[in-house]
Amino acid sequence: MASNGVGNGEFSFDNKRRTGLPKIQTQKTEDENVVCHDDSATPVKAQTLEELHSLQKKKSAPTTPIKSPHVFGVAVSEEERQKQQLQSISASLASLTRETGPKVVKGDPARQAETPKVQRPVHHHHTPALNISDSGLKFTHILYNLSPAELYEQAIKYEKGSFITSSGALATLSGAKTGRSPRDKRVVRDETTEDDLWWGKGSPNIEMDEQTFLINRERAVDYLCSLEKVFVNDQFLNWDPNNRIKVRIVSARAYHSLFMHNMCIRPTPEELEDFGTPDFTIYNAGQFPCNRYTHYMTSSTSIDINLARREMVILGTQYAGEMKKGLFGVMHYLMPKRQILSLHSGCNMGKEGDVALFFGLSGTGKTTLSTDH
Ligand SMILES: Nc1ncnc2c1ncn2[C@@H]1O[C@H](COP(=O)(O)OP(=O)(O)O)[C@@H](O)[C@H]1O
Ligand SMILES: C=C(OP(=O)(O)O)C(=O)O
């Protein structure tokens, strides 16, 4: 097998040749509190919407100056960059059958009245106007990389049963599913995955075909585009910049967006300018079910991974851990191809730079023990 997964022509998220990482350095750093870069804001302490609003205002003043964006050495205005970003999101949400993306506009529809200058909507399309439909005419509002305070507000205002706990965490309801649905998780079996994945008796990988994946993808995309607003997170996986994967998560709920905000690496404003096309996209349609008449569907829930298309579709479950486990799966597939060992473990570092890894089944304390001071 090629070290970077390119040599066999089957799969790669980029075309750089890799020879594996050097040994991980765990010596004490100059400043022993610095483990790695993290832009984590201080935890949300607000108890009322007014307090949340004041946090949002502070957040809107960037601490890192934003460089003027360039495309091939040519300066791009902020307006142009925003337009390109919306075009990219519209393209992600494009129907594969109608070849159209929704008309997207940035920002909370409830806040439009307060916003003096509304950005021009972007309509990503290849088909002539005579194919116009009601869905083609409506706008989908994009809530892009919102801050935790903004997501708390969205959850508390619009997601029934959400509240802030005394520790500052957002408590919310994930609906009927309070854990993952492994029996409803499927992976597209095709030439990309035929030889690389474990199939058949004893394997946790349940197969589906490309066509069924596309039906479910279309169902999720149509549902998301039919909503007044969707949440979009553009983030990274992997702290090592050489092996970074750009992920885009499109979801219907603030709770999902907040969960992924916490789970993935947040790009700096500069990194976001160069984000471009994501390497992997999740379409999380949450509560919207799959169609039981669709081939392979044995319940109303379906979590589908297509490694060739670099996409994951979630229908009929609001349990946010599906997104995490889906991306874990992608990393466990990709990283060994680059000779990097991927682990599902908690990890912490002692005062002398010594490292402890915590393994265990889900819910057995990896996170708790590894964050214990
Ligand atoms: N040693 C422990 N004793 C009792 N409960 C624990 C212990 N460690 C963790 N828990 C509880 O178990 C739940 C799952 O822990 P968590 O650290 O999230 O597990 P994991 O990361 O392995 O999925 C949490 O509610 C946590 O408070
Ligand atoms: C809770 C889960 O995983 P973890 O073991 O990472 O906490 C899960 O897979 O849903």
Side-chain angles (χ1 to χ4, degrees), residues 92-102 133 135-136 138 140 214-228 230 250 283-285 288 313 315:
S92 289
L93 279 167
S95 151
L96 295 175
T97 53
R98 297 185 296 279
E99 294 184 11
T100 54
S133 65
S135 62
K138 87 168 264 298
T140 305
L214 294 180
I215 292 169
N216 282 356
R217 180 197 191 275
E218 196 75 350
R219 197 167 165 90
V221 159
D222 276 349
Y223 168 72
L224 289 164
C225 293
S226 77
L227 299 173
E228 198 182 12
V230 295
V250 188
Y283 299 99
N284 187 349
F288 195 69
V313 166
L315 291 162

Side-chain angles (χ1 to χ4, degrees), residues 324 344-346 358-371:
K324 182 196 76 173
H344 178 186
S345 76
F358 298 85
F359 296 96
L361 293 175
S362 293
T364 53
K366 297 182 292 297
T367 310
T368 311
L369 291 170
S370 63
T371 49

Side-chain angles (χ1 to χ4, degrees), residues 237-289:
L237 302 180
N238 210 335
W239 283 106
D240 168 24
N242 290 328
N243 291 289
R244 201 158 253 190
I245 308 292
K246 297 185 286 179
V247 283
R248 173 167 290 166
I249 302 116
V250 188
S251 62
R253 287 192 59 180
Y255 134 66
H256 289 141
S257 185
L258 181 64
F259 182 90
M260 296 316 275
H261 172 95
N262 288 336
M263 193 60 64
C264 307
I265 297 161
R266 270 95 70 182
T268 62
E270 288 90 347
E271 286 169 335
L272 211 50
E273 282 174 11
D274 298 329
F275 196 84
T277 311
D279 298 315
F280 196 90
T281 305
I282 297 182
Y283 299 99
N284 187 349
Q287 63 180 346
F288 195 69

